[in-house]
Amino acid sequence: MPDVGRSTLLRRASSPTAKTYARAKVESGKTPWRNARFCVVDLELSGLDPRSDEIISYAAVPIDFGRVVAGNTLYGLCRPTRRLPEQSILVHGIRMEDLAEAPSLDEAMQLLIAAMSGRVLVAHVAWVERSFLGQAFARQGIRLREPVIDTYELGQLLALERNEAPAARTLDELARSLALPVHQQHHALGDALTTAQVFVALATHLDNSTSETVQSLARAKQRTRSYLS
Amino acid sequence: MAAIPDIVEFLRKFPPFAALDSDALELLGAVVEVEFHAKGETIFSKGVGPVEFLRVVRSGSVEVVNDGQVLDLMGPGEMFGHASMLSGLPTGFEARAAEDSLMYRIPAETASQVLAGPDALRYMTRLLLEDRHRIRSGPSSEVIRDQLRQPVRGAIRNAPVILAPHTSVRDAARQMTAVGASAVIVDLGDSVGIVTDSDLRSRVVASGLSGDSPVSAVMTAPAFTVSGDRPGSEVLLDMLDRGVKHFPVTSASGRVIGIVEDHDLVAIESRSSFHLRQAIAHASTVDELVVTSSKLRPAIVNLHRGGMNALDVMSVFSVVADALTRRAVDLAIAQTGNPPTRFTWLALGSQARREALPSSDLDSAIAWFDNNENEEPLVRKYFDDVATTATDTLMRCGFRPDEHRVSASDPLFVRPLSSWQHEVHSFLNDPTQKKALVLVSVLVDSRPVWGVESEPLIAETFRLARAYPQLLRLLAQFALSHKPPVGFFRGLAIDVSGEGRSRLDLKRGAVVPITDLARWAGMTAGVACASTIARLNAASDIGTLTASDALTLRDAFELVSQLRLDHQVAQIEVGVDPGDVIALDELSPLIRTYLKEAFRAVVSVQRHVANDLSWNA
């Protein structure tokens, strides 16, 4: 993704929602994590290649002051422009005919952008959301805001701090290793809720040894590396 | 923006949420938040609050801690924080994550709105009553409380020491010491005797009896025994009633399988009522009785603190009130002279039903056994004097005079038995005569507490009531005329203070409608004097009330009784005379909601009964 200046993007922002997102005040990196507002996003995709694959469903779960605001979640489907590969249907169970009436990607993104406004993005194995959202947001004339927090990286960091074997990569295994429930898998809302709970648990545990801020959580990967070197 | 179906589905699996309709569950789903607590983290501390959230454990577990002791462990689906939320009082314990735990928290406002339906109400009331025990009394009393519900045989700790009648007192004492027993059984063939350590002290040591004397010389025989399958709470009341601390317990075949003592059944703090009961029986002057009875209210406070539920406290209070009444009558006779004829002192009202509380009047009546009409004026004068003296004594002991003048000090209530019987039969035959319904209601709730019990009792006559449908119909209508103040939350509650505070009379508004309905329903089942709960059970057994209506009334009665007791104990603690009028702003919003719901439930049962009456007309 080419890095474009914020001012450029603002001028190009195509909708009031996009403008609000780009202008919204996001927590300073120094904010203690419990005082910050986050938005956990999970996407279901037709495949993992951002150049050829598409977002077919999305969910957003807000976290305020260390608690998952379960009554204020967002979930929706997007109509793809190409046929869904069969193996992706086997993963998430969403068929072409389920999506026939769904809004287009651009329409759907208006809702998701509004939900994410003013919040720090959290995702599990975040490069996926980063790249797909980055592309979808670019179509709206805006850039995905930083920082982004990755629960996978937080899991690795905690395992290291606790002298345990590296944490599981998959969301369900990570949740189980933290004694947390696993909600409906490969469903954007189920996975987003699981991720949200995993995030709160990991941040609470990490916060026990060092005070965690938005920035320190976002730097989990670098911290893990500096531990290892 | 929407709620998450998984969370609603989880809540739906557990009471009280299981009873909610989908609208109510959606409402919860819209406000619920998920929070995580690492092992050892305090979720809320003791004495803070009132808590603003109801919490339900989703995963992990939460410890309930009081003074460093873990009282309980809550697992997935269990909720906590409701007691403080419900009472509006600070938390009575600390809640701490026993392991890494996830919980759902629901704002109190929504929780109380959603959980105010009848089924959820019942669940919450039960939970609240149970919490009270657990939190107030801790784990050791928890065990004891369970023993009150269990068959009494479970409270036996050792095999009994059974001795032959000729065993020497010295041997008996040795054997008691050896096994740590405080009493031994004396085998008398077809019955048993009992010797307790206090018998050894008072009958052997104090009277200088030789250690070689046989135990038969110092035993109490025949000893009153209890069957092992009776619940501990009943046995405890029997002990209290008879003023003894040990009961031999028998198996189904009649064999003695052990001895239970008062302290096997009840916590130490609750035992003061036993000492009280005995001190009352031994008071030799009115002044002594007055001094002794001043300990009654503190004893009730202790029982409440010890976690005894309101219905059990009412039973204990009534037993002690019986003892006090008996002693007051004894002392009145000592002052007035020997009675010219046999007589019975009847307890009326709540005391007769064993549902008295410190706010209750001790209503009473006298029935004497005599056929000689010539002597009647003299006899009447004697009993009027006894009645006035005894009633004065009871007043000095802190019992308020009856506001309706239903008392033995009123000549109307001092009569020969024949006159009572005549009156009762005339009410049965013509219930339309003046005051018939009120007097029937009074006399059904009558129980002899002093004097002869072998004669046909007044209340027993009403067992025949089933043969008098007109009386039953009128009594039902009479009962239905007492409406709970369902409008009180709209500011219609009576305001007796004139200070502009809305006040509610719990007895008039809630107790009377329930006890009246239960009395009538019990009479349809051939039950005369009995507790409200026993009457409801009997009526439900024969189908006068549906099982669900009977249960509704029982729950409402328990809830209101508990509120009355809580309120009166709080008044006693600050030195105010206990009463049943409560300012609405003393109640937490949720308790108010529940009370309102209880009133509604009673009204709906009244409506069912009214429908049945019109069908059968």
Side-chain angles (χ1 to χ4, degrees):
Chain A
M1 293 283 302
D3 199 355
V4 191
R6 189 172 169 222
S7 53
T8 330
L9 280 179
L10 255 182
R11 257 182 276 122
R12 281 200 240 139
S14 61
S15 67
T17 314
K19 278 200 183 76
T20 308
Y21 174 83
R23 285 192 184 125
K25 188 175 175 307
V26 176
E27 307 293 351
S28 129
K30 291 181 190 129
T31 310
W33 83 274
R34 278 192 189 278
N35 295 348
R37 303 197 307 152
F38 302 89
C39 184
V40 179
V41 172
D42 188 81
L43 304 174
E44 294 302 317
L45 307 161
S46 62
L48 286 176
D49 185 345
R51 286 165 305 180
S52 55
D53 290 318
E54 298 175 87
I55 297 174
I56 56 171
S57 80
Y58 60 93
V61 174
I63 293 173
D64 287 352
F65 311 111
R67 282 182 292 268
V68 181
V69 188
N72 202 18
T73 60
L74 174 70
Y75 170 73
L77 298 171
C78 307
R79 191 175 67 238
T81 58
R82 292 180 288 269
R83 282 205 69 76
L84 294 178
E86 203 160 299
Q87 69 266 34
S88 89
I89 301 178
L90 292 177
V91 172
H92 44 63
I94 300 174
R95 301 161 306 165
M96 277 311 271
E97 50 265 53
D98 299 324
L99 301 171
E101 307 288 311
S104 69
L105 177 67
D106 288 341
E107 289 165 337
M109 282 308 109
Q110 292 294 313
L111 300 175
L112 186 57
I113 289 168
M116 291 170 64
S117 242
R119 293 174 177 275
V120 176
L121 175 61
V122 177
H124 187 71
V125 190
W127 69 264
V128 177
E129 276 71 19
R130 215 184 244 284
S131 51
F132 279 84
L133 287 181
Q135 224 167 41
F137 279 27
R139 292 162 58 96
Q140 306 287 325
I142 51 171
R143 194 180 60 144
L144 194 62
R145 311 258 319 241
E146 296 291 336
V148 174
I149 293 175
D150 189 338
T151 45
Y152 166 70
E153 298 296 348
L154 294 179
Q156 297 302 318
L157 181 60
L158 182 69
L160 205 60
E161 281 196 359
R162 288 183 165 179
N163 272 327
E164 289 168 357
R169 186 170 184 89
T170 63
L171 179 60
D172 60 316
E173 283 177 72
L174 180 57
R176 285 198 192 94
S177 74
L178 294 165
L180 295 172
V182 176
H183 296 277
Q184 192 179 353
Q185 291 186 59
H186 304 298
H187 181 283
L189 186 56
D191 282 345
L193 178 60
T194 307
T195 306
Q197 290 169 173
V198 162
F199 170 69
V200 172
L202 287 170
T204 304
H205 287 314
L206 289 166
D207 202 31
N208 266 342
S209 43
T210 44
S211 303
E212 296 290 346
T213 61
V214 170
Q215 189 59 44
S216 70
L217 292 176
R219 289 176 38 80
K221 190 171 181 177
Q222 291 89 320
R223 289 163 70 188
T224 304
R225 273 203 212 123
S226 69
Y227 252 108
L228 290 173
S229 59
Chain B
M1 292 287 156
I4 299 179
D6 277 17
I7 295 180
V8 171
E9 283 312 310
F10 176 83
L11 290 175
R12 194 201 286 279
K13 280 190 255 170
F14 300 95
F17 308 103
L20 300 180
D21 60 26
S22 45
D23 286 353
L25 284 166
E26 282 305 312
L27 201 58
L28 287 180
V31 296
V32 68
E33 292 182 328
V34 188
E35 58 182 18
F36 176 83
H37 296 278
K39 179 180 179 175
E41 212 178 288
T42 296
I43 300 162
F44 57 72
S45 314
K46 182 181 171 174
V48 299
V51 299
E52 286 158 18
F53 298 92
L54 181 70
R55 287 179 169 86
V56 181
V57 180
R58 174 60 178 87
S59 66
S61 57
V62 171
E63 288 172 332
V64 170
V65 186
N66 191 19
D67 297 333
Q69 270 189 308
V70 175
L71 303 185
D72 204 357
L73 195 67
M74 315 283 201
E78 292 189 276
M79 65 180 179
F80 60 100
H82 51 276
S84 161
M85 188 180 95
L86 218 57
S87 61
L89 295 172
T91 50
F93 57 87
E94 178 191 343
R96 192 163 69 192
E99 51 192 317
D100 291 349
S101 304
L102 207 60
M103 45 218 90
Y104 296 151
R105 66 168 220 187
I106 301 163
E109 198 187 333
T110 314
S112 47
Q113 181 188 344
V114 162
L115 296 177
D119 292 339
L121 163 75
R122 176 165 305 147
Y123 178 82
M124 294 292 280
T125 306
R126 291 252 168 280
L127 207 60
L128 185 70
L129 296 177
E130 279 170 18
D131 272 0
R132 200 176 284 280
H133 295 296
R134 184 170 59 213
I135 304 311
R136 289 247 173 82
S137 44
S140 56
S141 308
E142 172 82 354
V143 175
I144 284 162
R145 177 172 65 91
D146 275 354
Q147 255 156 19
L148 286 180
R149 304 233 169 116
Q150 303 297 322
V152 71
R153 76 170 88 81
I156 297 172
R157 286 180 300 176
N158 297 107
V161 176
I162 302 179
L163 304 173
H166 57 74
T167 314
S168 72
V169 166
R170 186 176 294 114
D171 272 359
R174 260 189 215 132
Q175 294 202 40
M176 280 166 80
T177 315
V179 300
S182 61
V184 292
I185 300 293
V186 183
D187 185 357
L188 301 173
D190 51 358
S191 69
V192 295
I194 188 168
V195 179
T196 67
D197 53 2
S198 83
D199 292 339
L200 291 183
R201 277 196 303 276
S202 62
R203 296 184 193 165
V204 181
V205 181
S207 54
L209 208 67
S210 152
D212 298 323
S213 317
V215 285
S216 56
V218 297
M219 68 184 180
T220 304
F224 185 81
T225 61
V226 293
S227 158
D229 52 14
R230 291 183 63 204
S233 57
E234 274 183 25
V235 173
L236 185 64
L237 277 179
D238 260 358
M239 283 185 180
L240 200 51
D241 208 10
R242 289 166 195 273
V244 298
K245 294 182 181 182
H246 298 82
F247 274 155
V249 179
T250 57
S251 65
S253 62
R255 196 169 52 86
V256 174
I257 52 175
I259 296 176
V260 285
E261 276 181 73
D262 58 350
H263 65 237
D264 296 329
L265 297 172
V266 69
I268 292 164
E269 67 258 41
S270 311
R271 284 213 301 268
S272 50
S273 30
F274 277 86
H275 303 308
L276 192 55
R277 160 78 180 68
Q278 290 190 324
I280 286 169
H282 293 133
S284 57
T285 63
V286 171
D287 287 340
E288 263 181 63
L289 197 60
V290 170
V291 170
T292 307
S293 63
S294 68
K295 294 173 191 140
L296 179 52
R297 286 177 182 178
I300 293 303
V301 173
N302 275 338
L303 291 175
H304 182 257
R305 273 200 202 123
M308 193 180 265
N309 79 42
L311 298 187
D312 288 342
V313 171
M314 294 194 301
S315 301
V316 169
F317 186 85
S318 303
V319 166
V320 178
D322 286 357
L324 205 59
T325 307
R326 274 195 282 276
R327 202 61 195 147
V329 175
D330 285 343
L331 294 173
I333 291 170
Q335 187 186 324
T336 318
N338 282 334
T341 167
R342 294 180 305 148
F343 77 100
T344 298
W345 181 285
L346 295 159
L348 305 178
S350 60
Q351 189 187 359
R353 297 191 306 269
R354 296 191 190 261
E355 289 166 1
L357 277 173
S359 67
S360 305
D361 333 311
L362 295 191
D363 305 343
S364 55
I366 282 179
W368 76 78
F369 303 77
D370 201 311
N371 300 320
N372 189 339
E373 286 179 16
N374 297 333
E375 289 175 16
E376 184 169 328
L378 271 179
V379 173
R380 173 174 294 282
K381 166 93 173 61
Y382 173 86
F383 286 117
D384 281 346
D385 288 351
V386 166
T388 309
T389 311
T391 312
D392 282 353
T393 304
L394 289 173
M395 268 176 66
R396 285 189 55 201
C397 291
F399 290 93
R400 65 186 70 191
D402 181 80
E403 53 183 296
H404 309 292
R405 293 190 36 90
V406 178
S407 142
S409 65
D410 180 342
L412 256 181
F413 281 83
V414 181
R415 296 180 183 208
L417 182 62
S418 55
S419 156
W420 282 121
Q421 299 290 21
H422 174 80
E423 189 105 280
V424 168
H425 282 107
S426 111
F427 292 152
L428 286 173
N429 288 310
D430 178 13
T432 61
Q433 58 190 295
K434 209 178 158 199
K435 284 199 167 179
L437 298 175
V438 178
L439 285 170
V440 166
S441 302
V442 167
L443 292 175
V444 177
D445 290 0
S446 66
R447 184 168 56 83
V449 292
W450 194 101
V452 200
E453 298 190 20
S454 58
E455 304 292 330
L457 302 169
I458 295 168
E460 297 300 295
T461 316
F462 289 107
R463 285 186 191 280
L464 307 172
R466 276 186 291 184
Y468 298 86
Q470 193 196 7
L471 172 70
L472 287 180
R473 166 173 298 277
L474 289 172
L475 273 178
Q477 285 167 358
F478 181 68
L480 295 178
S481 68
H482 297 126
K483 299 276 184 228
V486 278
F488 86 89
F489 49 95
R490 291 201 299 264
L492 298 177
I494 47 160
D495 181 358
V496 295
S497 69
E499 294 162 10
R501 282 174 101 191
S502 286
R503 282 166 189 255
L504 175 71
D505 187 332
L506 286 174
K507 185 178 170 190
R508 192 185 309 225
V511 178
V512 170
I514 299 170
T515 52
D516 277 4
L517 214 48
R519 182 184 305 109
W520 158 77
M523 285 170 80
T524 66
V527 173
C529 187
S531 72
T532 298
I533 301 294
R535 285 168 165 168
L536 292 173
N537 290 342
S540 150
D541 285 347
I542 68 146
T544 309
L545 295 175
T546 63
S548 123
D549 278 354
L551 193 63
T552 298
L553 292 179
R554 200 187 73 190
D555 286 340
F557 187 68
E558 266 193 72
L559 174 68
V560 173
S561 300
Q562 194 66 52
L563 288 180
R564 289 176 76 200
L565 178 64
D566 289 353
H567 176 62
Q568 293 184 20
V569 163
Q571 286 179 309
I572 292 169
E573 281 175 328
V574 298
V576 175
D577 229 16
D580 286 308
V581 177
I582 188 163
L584 288 190
D585 50 18
E586 274 177 43
L587 298 172
S588 76
L590 198 54
I591 290 278
R592 251 182 278 174
T593 312
Y594 282 4
L595 202 52
K596 180 175 78 182
E597 216 39 65
F599 288 165
R600 281 208 184 123
V602 174
V603 169
S604 90
V605 176
Q606 287 186 332
R607 206 174 296 132
H608 298 167
V609 171
N611 277 341
D612 285 353
L613 285 180
S614 61
W615 272 107
N616 298 332

